Amino acid sequence: MAARSSLAGFNGRPNLRHYHRIPVHLAASLEQDGDLLPECTINNLSRSGLHIECASAILERLVPNGKPVAPHMAIPVHLTFSVPGEAGSICIRARCDVVTVRRVSRDSFNVGMSFAEFEDDSDTHLDHYINKQLAASI
């Protein structure tokens, strides 16, 4: 399994708002410290990261005891999701850092993650998917 850094060529972290966000509704699997977490939903996606929507039970497993979350105190997690492709679904696998948490309602949270490393050609597949979505919205 080859991993490629999405931050190659950058000095420090990239501006996470630099890329266009696209609204999506994609199922995602999360793994943290070898533990598989319940499935959640990606609600927006960009080349630098994504937001998932999750319940408090998943958030508690991701960020135990309300641990502070910020880009300089990121929490690592492995993420797997699929995007539609020309020949069927394409699996995207990446290591992400949890960088933001925002409460949406009583038991609904948006968790912001930045991509840290992609497995295999996942970054290329993600770029292709995002380009296609952006072109379709013009």
Side-chain angles (χ1 to χ4, degrees):
M1 166 173 60
R4 294 191 296 178
S5 174
S6 66
L7 303 177
F10 286 104
N11 292 328
R13 283 195 176 269
N15 179 351
L16 298 181
R17 303 274 183 183
H18 180 71
Y19 297 107
H20 292 285
R21 294 181 185 193
I22 58 171
V24 295
H25 188 80
L26 302 169
S29 298
L30 299 172
E31 184 181 326
Q32 188 177 42
D33 297 327
D35 293 332
L36 192 61
L37 281 69
E39 195 171 88
C40 58
T41 302
I42 300 172
N43 58 20
N44 78 45
L45 183 62
S46 77
R47 287 179 178 89
S48 63
L50 54 93
H51 272 136
I52 63 165
E53 187 173 325
C54 67
S56 59
I58 297 172
L59 181 65
E60 178 59 31
R61 290 183 64 187
L62 273 175
V63 186
N65 302 317
K67 179 179 171 182
V69 176
H72 65 282
M73 297 184 293
I75 298 169
V77 63
H78 285 85
L79 175 81
T80 304
F81 63 99
S82 294
V83 295
E86 294 173 14
S89 292
I90 299 168
C91 185
I92 307 289
R93 289 187 176 95
R95 185 180 64 77
C96 297
D97 292 326
V98 174
V99 293
T100 63
V101 174
R102 193 183 90 216
R103 185 181 209 136
V104 177
S105 65
R106 182 181 178 125
D107 192 41
S108 180
F109 296 84
N110 277 344
V111 178
M113 298 183 190
S114 63
F115 292 117
E117 286 183 310
F118 289 95
E119 293 183 15
D120 304 319
D121 289 331
S122 289
D123 55 339
T124 304
H125 295 303
L126 180 65
D127 279 345
H128 181 72
Y129 173 73
I130 290 173
N131 286 338
K132 191 172 181 179
Q133 297 303 306
L134 289 172
S137 67
I138 294 177

